[in-house]
Amino acid sequence: MKTAVIVFPGSNCDRDAAVALEAAFGTRPAMVWHRDNELPDLDLILLPGGFSYGDYLRSGAMASQSPVLRAVKEQADKGVLVLGICNGFQVLTESGLLPGVLMRNANLKFVCRDVDLVVDSTASPFMRGYATGQQVTVPVAHHDGNYFADDATLNRLEGDGRVAFRYAAHDNPNGSARDIAGILNERGNVLGMMPHPERAVDPKLCGIDGKAMFTGLVEALVPTIMEG
Amino acid sequence: MKAKVHVTLKAGVLDPQGKAIGHALESLGFEGVGDVRQGKFIELDLDETDPDKARARIGEMCEKLLANTVIENYSIDLEG
Amino acid sequence: MKAKVHVTLKAGVLDPQGKAIGHALESLGFEGVGDVRQGKFIELDLDETDPDKARARIGEMCEKLLANTVIENYSIDLEG
Amino acid sequence: MSAAAAASEAIEITPELAAEHGLSADEYALILKIMGREPNITELGVFSAMWSEHCSYKSSKVWLKTLPTEGPQVICGPGENAGVVDIGEGLAAIFKIESHNHPSFIEPYQGAATGVGGILRDVFTMGARPVANMNALRFGSPDHPKTRHLVSGVVAGIGGYGNCIGVPTVGGETEFDPAYNGNILVNAMTVGIADAGRIFYSAAGGPGNPVIYVGSKTGRDGIHGATMASAEFDQDSEEKRPTVQVGDPFTEKLLLEACLELMATDAIVAIQDMGAAGLTSSGVEMASKGGVGVELELDLVPMREEGMTPYELMLSESQERMLIVLKPGREDEARAIFEKWELDFAVIGRVTDTGRLVLKFHGETVGDIEVAPLVDNAPEYDRPWEPTPKSAIIDTDDVAAPNDPMDALKRIVGSPNMASRRWIWEQYDHMVMADTNQRPGGDSAVVRIHGTDRALAITTDSTPRYCLADPEEGGKQAVAEAWRNLTAVGATPLAVTNNLNFGNPEKPRIMGQIAGAVTGMGAACRALDFPVVSGNVSLYNETSGEAILPTPVIGGLGLIDDLDRTTAVAIPREGLNLVLVGKTKGWLGSSLYLREIESRADGAPPPVDLAAERRNGDFVRGLIQAGRVAACHDLSDGGLAVAAAEMAMAGGIGADLVDTPEGLALHGWLFGEDQARYLIAAEDGAAIVAEAQAAGVPAAVVGQTGGDALTVGKTHTISIHELRRCHEEWLPSFMARP
Ligand SMILES: Nc1ncnc2c1ncn2[C@@H]1O[C@H](COP(=O)(O)OP(=O)(O)O)[C@@H](O)[C@H]1O
Ligand SMILES: [Mg+2]
């Protein structure tokens, strides 16, 4: 089982993500520096939260142009799983791996709190640990999480079951279109989400509702390895 | 050569910042303010002295980095 | 009446955004890029039709809200 | 000689120019004596910076010396960039608090942001990875036209910096009072964790060793005091230069990672951040602490602007910079690390054995000062002071009882100084690094020591209204409250940092407040084994002769040995006994009740019985550490009723409190602010009371948990829903007003 966390200058949830991955997979993820333009063979790539390049210009914009992103795209094209959390989600939209954009929160303020999410679609390896319609509580912490896309794109995302999570009604912290909190690419191997599942894997901290994502990924990936 | 780049949101794209500014102006008592849109204004110094080449080069910068062309337009002005 | 407002950092004030953009352009292989500064560009629709009054009104908006005059300058262009 | 150097030589040094640099006639005379000649403008700038109140502590030093600074847990007390305490298992906690009051008033976002950046550097320059930020804020009256703008800017600035660099902002305090209308307080605290065997200090050593500059380039940021003088330098100055510094948290994040990477090698001899007075104070302090000289080639300093003079280079307060002395021959290794992190790196000088600070610019000597007298002869004043007159003790019977105590409670929990601060802390990432066990809103923040089951507890406290009425009791109270807040989560208090925010020390009345507060703090720190390991002093917080309230802010640090044995304020379930620990007399002098309900701000504040504090606190901590406490809250502003209400609101479970005990007035019982008290929720209330009695600790079962309302004596009641509404409403609606 090979996992990697990509580290950009200004990433700051890279350690948290590595801890969550190691707890689930039992092996330490490779920490890959943004200037590396080649990646080893991997099963899961995680783009962590933080402020890559200070979030200057646009969140995720500069990271989406970094050498390592080209390698991430190649792997995504081959079907390797890519999970972008928070700033990682912003990098995925900026790089075109996911549609739409994450704009400034509607009230213009940074928001850090627990939010209630509803699982919308379980049709991807990321979501195996969850049940459709299940409500979970996971923290958010971002300034630019206001998901925007044109209506055609939104309709397509919904029609294709590519909305992984929505904010529960009345708990939309940022003004996202159709309460979208996380989306998948067409193939279902790239997930971007604003909430932080990696912060919710320990009952002493922010609860354990994020844990199912990582245990689900382990279940999803282990048979692949055995077949391979 | 100095260049000025304006990056603005495309029509129809939601502009939370512009909207918030509009609201704030209203509540400060400024009346008759209609639509407000906020964009970016980037000033660059370039070695390039040929205007056509400079423009092409900056266009490339905008496409690659300065603007998110899914939601933003850009325009380039060259100076001196 | 439409107005365009440019809000830019005063000379000498550190511009972390501009600095980071400059770095990023460089690492994308764009050579010969000197200083980069980032500012804001705000477009407003105003009911006011008298240019002098409009200008005064927008000046007030800049002082009160649109610009942080401790570190920023602003300029106003009117259109139409 | 270069144009800039020539220009700086050309400036004539007059007593007026010295005065413009904040130097008195006596101080200037002393400079002439030390130099044996007239200083040039650069040298004058160096003296003025080093002898400023900010760097020299000239008014407060005599008092600071009276504070206890030692204990078995102390690895390094005051005098370095931050204090260091042992937290066991080979680790040390490094922490300090610092003010950025004036800059935050001028430009709230950047002022607060750079305040956070500065205190972070003080902590990581000693080898720690920062793990938590705190902030203690004081604003003017909510009715003052500037207040809203200042609150929104300061909060956004603190969040903007801390969120980006990825250090959780886990707590703090915020108060409003008209005394801060013209001088807000922004005190920022950082706690970091380091390997106890690898602490980095600032004493330079090893003549010949290279001095390196890393981080951001130097611009003309924050060259204040001296703006007049420097304005004469550049004839072509297009606009009056702002003295405001802009923070760049992204660069600081890179600087943090790069410094920690270099610190993992053994290449560093000494390291010091460039904070106030930039290159001057870092260069001088490193030389002075090491008893050596330093020679700097100022033209090698990475510069952001053209034509900078030696004077400007020495005094610039550009942020995100560090000065490092390396072992010989380690430059390339260090350079590679800083280049990897895309930071500036330059060898700008070397350590010498001359004991002199020598400044060169394009080969010319532009400054030459003997370090020892520059530092050791810095002025130190024992300023005259007047004791603060004692306030009358207010008899509870002389205070009208409330018609409806629950209405009074509602007004208090919804008042500006008690209303929920959620609007603030939700703008701070308080969970990044994934070790935050107790979030903002409780008595202390609790941050797990990464990879262990142990944790640090952190709090900041001050009650300025008490300090105004009685600085000495107020000083004691601030320390006692911090100690109590740590105790309330089950932590063993370790040490404190402090920020002394006062008015003009040249006024005997203000100096009396300083003397009183420090005396009280010292007494409390001694009695509670809670030594002072670092701190900061901010004086002259006055506008048009109006001083702020005396505000000694205490930042307390404690250690939790087992995260399973910690408590929070939230009532977790029904059917628990509520036990009140500590003696209640019903003290209403200087209380919140008096201020909010009676619109009176008078009376002696509650006295602090340090022996009782210690006894009661040790007893409560013992219970928590034995796993016998389900929830705990110390009693402070607003007394018992507010504590019970906060516990109920946090847990969503109500409580029934007993009737007013015999001999007490209802409002004294509910709202009195007697010190050394805790309210705990536990299964075995009767047994706890019995044990308390045996230990000489006053305790009584005063209620039960359950239901969805807070009820007193079966007659007065208010729903949790209504309490929450009042508590949560004020700040967001205040901030939403135009
Ligand atoms: N109120 C105080 N109590 C104890 N120590 C203090 C106090 N104020 C300042 N100090 C100590 O004096 C030294 C210098 O403080 P300061 O100039 O703020 O440091 P820095 O330049 O690193 O920010 C530090 O060691 C600090 O901890
Ligand atoms: Mg320091």
Side-chain angles (χ1 to χ4, degrees), chain C residues 10-14 16 19 23 68 70-71 73, chain D residues 107 216 238-239 242 244 246-248 251 304-305:
Chain C
K10 290 185 179 172
V13 174
L14 174 74
K19 194 171 105 182
H23 258 302
N68 176 353
V70 180
I71 51 174
N73 292 325
Chain D
E107 209 309 277
S216 277
E238 330 85 288
E239 53 195 346
V244 174
V246 169
D248 182 356
T251 296
R304 197 173 82 225
E305 295 179 65

Side-chain angles (χ1 to χ4, degrees), chain D residues 53-57 60 64-65 67-69 76-83 95-99 118-119 121-123 125-126 272-277 281-282 285 289 496-501 518 521 532-538 553:
Chain D
E53 188 67 58
H54 190 93
C55 288
S56 72
Y57 294 90
S60 56
L64 293 180
K65 282 181 191 156
L67 292 170
T69 60
C76 174
E80 279 289 334
N81 285 300
F95 68 111
K96 184 170 186 265
I97 192 166
E98 191 153 80
S99 64
I119 191 60
R121 282 193 298 285
D122 269 336
V123 166
T125 197
M126 295 194 74
Q272 162 81 37
D273 66 297
M274 288 188 234
S281 81
S282 51
E285 275 171 29
K289 293 219 173 85
V496 306
T497 182
N498 71 99
N499 210 327
L500 301 175
N501 305 278
V518 174
M521 283 163 52
V532 175
V533 295
S534 61
N536 180 254
V537 177
S538 169
V553 175

Side-chain angles (χ1 to χ4, degrees), chain D residues 572-623:
Chain D
R573 56 185 177 274
E574 309 217 331
L576 294 167
N577 297 135
L578 286 173
V579 179
L580 176 62
V581 175
K583 191 166 172 55
T584 303
K585 287 185 181 157
W587 195 281
L588 289 176
S590 279
S591 67
L592 216 59
Y593 178 83
L594 214 54
R595 172 166 156 162
E596 294 301 328
I597 307 301
E598 296 290 310
S599 306
R600 283 172 64 181
D602 60 332
V608 181
D609 175 344
L610 292 168
E613 283 290 351
R614 172 113 206 197
R615 221 170 20 243
N616 300 358
D618 287 348
F619 177 74
V620 169
R621 191 181 319 104
L623 292 176

